[in-house]
Amino acid sequence: MYLWDGISEFVAVAEAESFTLAAQRLNISTAHVSRQVSALENRLGTKLFYRTTRKVSLTEEGTIYYRHCRQLQTGLEEAERAISNLKDSPQGLVKLTAPVAYGEKFIMPLLNDFMVQYPSVEFSVDLTNRTLDLIEGGYDLAIRLGKLADSSLMAKPLSSRTHYVAASPSYVEKYGQPHTLSELSQHNCLIGNHNYWRFVENGRERNIKVRGNLNCNSGYALRDAVLKGIGIVQLPDYYIEEDIQAGRLLSLLDGHREAKEGIWALYPQNRHLSAKIRVLVDYLVEKLAEQD
């Protein structure tokens, strides 16, 4: 008796709730999946799924069996990863997602350096400001900025960032500068992804709704506008900190600036990290710390 026969197909159908989707994920035919599951049901002498033309769902017996099979399959995957991790050098494909601007400025140059150091590693990188589903998209790693939503993902801190409110000397000379949060309503505020800015007041976080004549989801475009004296902006440090240090921009409302927030590497939990991911995350931690 081959105890593993049909297990992979059963687990795939249970998770996809579809024989067709399960077959696509396993890269086999739907007919083969159906035969394997039917053979498994015959061997167990019980029905594992309720099947209708619209939906496939687990029976009570199927739910119990799935929990055990999932643990067994995870254990087998862990065993295979543990063996692969014995290899000395990282190798293989890493599928990664990161925010556009931060990814372009910080992550991609480091990934390119990593490939020079480890030429057997390949990257498939999706730079997007959308929060992608790592499991559904098959991503090994995600770079996320700021506060993390509750999830089943594991998070490792890579670095941190803070937000500055800034204006050019020419703008301040012409229009003055806000000294309190309430005075922001008197100024032309250049708006990014949100129509509010984040501050701390009396020890509490506070969001202030702002208005202005430019709304753009590009931090570089907003930096250009604030340097040209068009208005006031709130941007992460990596866009404008050098301009502030050089005197091209003035930092405003420093007493209300939020504490630094994290920049994270996220990956699915309950997985033994492969050598390529473990070495890559450690590499990013080291190199991003050098840039702080």
Side-chain angles (χ1 to χ4, degrees), residues 79-132:
E80 292 183 352
R81 289 193 187 96
I83 294 300
S84 67
N85 285 347
L86 295 177
K87 297 175 181 177
D88 294 332
S89 181
Q91 56 185 292
L93 176 67
V94 176
K95 191 173 181 182
L96 181 147
T97 178
V100 177
Y102 189 83
E104 289 176 339
K105 185 170 184 179
F106 294 101
I107 300 301
M108 286 309 306
L110 293 180
L111 297 188
N112 293 335
D113 291 341
F114 192 82
M115 284 191 293
V116 172
Q117 187 170 344
Y118 300 103
S120 295
V121 173
E122 303 174 21
F123 284 103
S124 173
V125 182
D126 192 344
L127 296 182
T128 176
N129 293 329
R130 293 184 296 118
T131 303
L132 301 179

Side-chain angles (χ1 to χ4, degrees), residues 10-53:
F10 164 69
V11 170
V13 174
E15 293 178 347
E17 297 183 341
S18 165
F19 281 82
T20 301
L21 291 178
Q24 292 174 358
R25 292 181 183 182
L26 296 174
N27 197 29
I28 57 180
S29 70
T30 303
H32 179 79
V33 172
S34 181
R35 284 195 300 270
Q36 289 293 91
V37 171
S38 295
L40 181 61
E41 289 178 320
N42 290 335
R43 194 174 82 218
L44 295 172
T46 188
K47 180 182 287 190
L48 298 173
F49 293 106
Y50 295 115
R51 300 168 173 84
T52 69
T53 56

Side-chain angles (χ1 to χ4, degrees), residues 143-204:
I143 308 300
R144 298 273 166 84
L145 311 178
K147 296 178 181 178
L148 298 177
D150 292 335
S151 74
S152 61
L153 300 173
M154 300 297 291
K156 177 157 181 120
L158 297 176
S159 185
S160 62
R161 69 173 184 175
T162 189
H163 285 76
Y164 286 98
V165 174
S168 68
S170 62
Y171 178 92
V172 170
E173 181 179 356
K174 187 172 182 180
Y175 299 104
Q177 68 179 75
H179 296 283
T180 65
L181 299 184
S182 61
E183 292 177 38
L184 282 172
S185 61
Q186 304 169 22
H187 289 271
N188 187 42
C189 298
L190 310 174
I191 302 170
N193 291 322
H194 306 286
N195 65 346
Y196 62 86
W197 290 353
R198 295 157 43 191
F199 297 97
V200 171
E201 187 173 44
N202 298 323
R204 291 187 172 186

